[in-house]
Amino acid sequence: MAKFNGGMGGANMQSLMKQAQKMQEEMQATEKLLDEWEIVGTAGGEAVVVYMNAKKIIDGIEIDKSVIDPEDEEMLEDLIMAAILDGYKKADAVYQEKMGKFGGMGGMGGML
């Protein structure tokens, strides 16, 4: 009578677990790098500058006084939004470059 060993051998499963653990450690290191990565979004020839990390957490905004016009609040609002969107675009590129190798597993909430 043939004996069934449960599919994968124990050594293969242990190897897979080690690979998964290594990948999780690499992903955590990359996540930390993204937290610390500085992204600079600009608009209006750097009249508005937005600082954020690669996870799109904004931690600073600089506005040149020359674009502050009490009679035209909408222009300043548009410049701020443009600078944020510029930063987001750059952050997306960095995030994809650094996390793309994990095949979208960053959103798995540490399930590995």
Side-chain angles (χ1 to χ4, degrees), residues 22-38 53-57 91 94-112:
K22 182 180 180 207
M23 184 176 278
Q24 183 178 21
E25 289 169 1
E26 289 176 12
M27 197 165 47
Q28 287 172 340
T30 302
E31 288 274 348
K32 185 174 188 228
L33 175 73
L34 294 174
D35 282 333
E36 298 169 356
W37 198 290
E38 183 177 64
N53 68 18
K55 291 183 178 179
K56 301 181 184 177
I57 305 298
V94 169
Y95 190 91
Q96 184 59 39
E97 175 189 336
K98 300 298 179 187
M99 293 299 286
K101 66 183 176 185
F102 299 111
M105 290 189 306
M108 291 179 68
M111 288 177 57
L112 282 179

Side-chain angles (χ1 to χ4, degrees), residues 31-85:
E31 288 274 348
K32 185 174 188 228
L33 175 73
L34 294 174
D35 282 333
E36 298 169 356
W37 198 290
E38 183 177 64
I39 303 290
V40 180
T42 63
E46 296 189 7
V48 176
V49 179
V50 175
Y51 300 95
M52 66 183 69
N53 68 18
K55 291 183 178 179
K56 301 181 184 177
I57 305 298
I58 297 172
D59 61 3
I61 298 176
E62 293 179 6
I63 301 172
D64 189 308
K65 292 184 187 330
S66 69
V67 295
I68 301 174
D69 180 357
E71 302 298 317
D72 192 3
E73 293 175 21
E74 190 173 330
M75 180 198 61
L76 181 55
E77 292 167 352
D78 289 346
L79 286 171
I80 292 169
M81 286 303 300
I84 290 170
L85 292 174

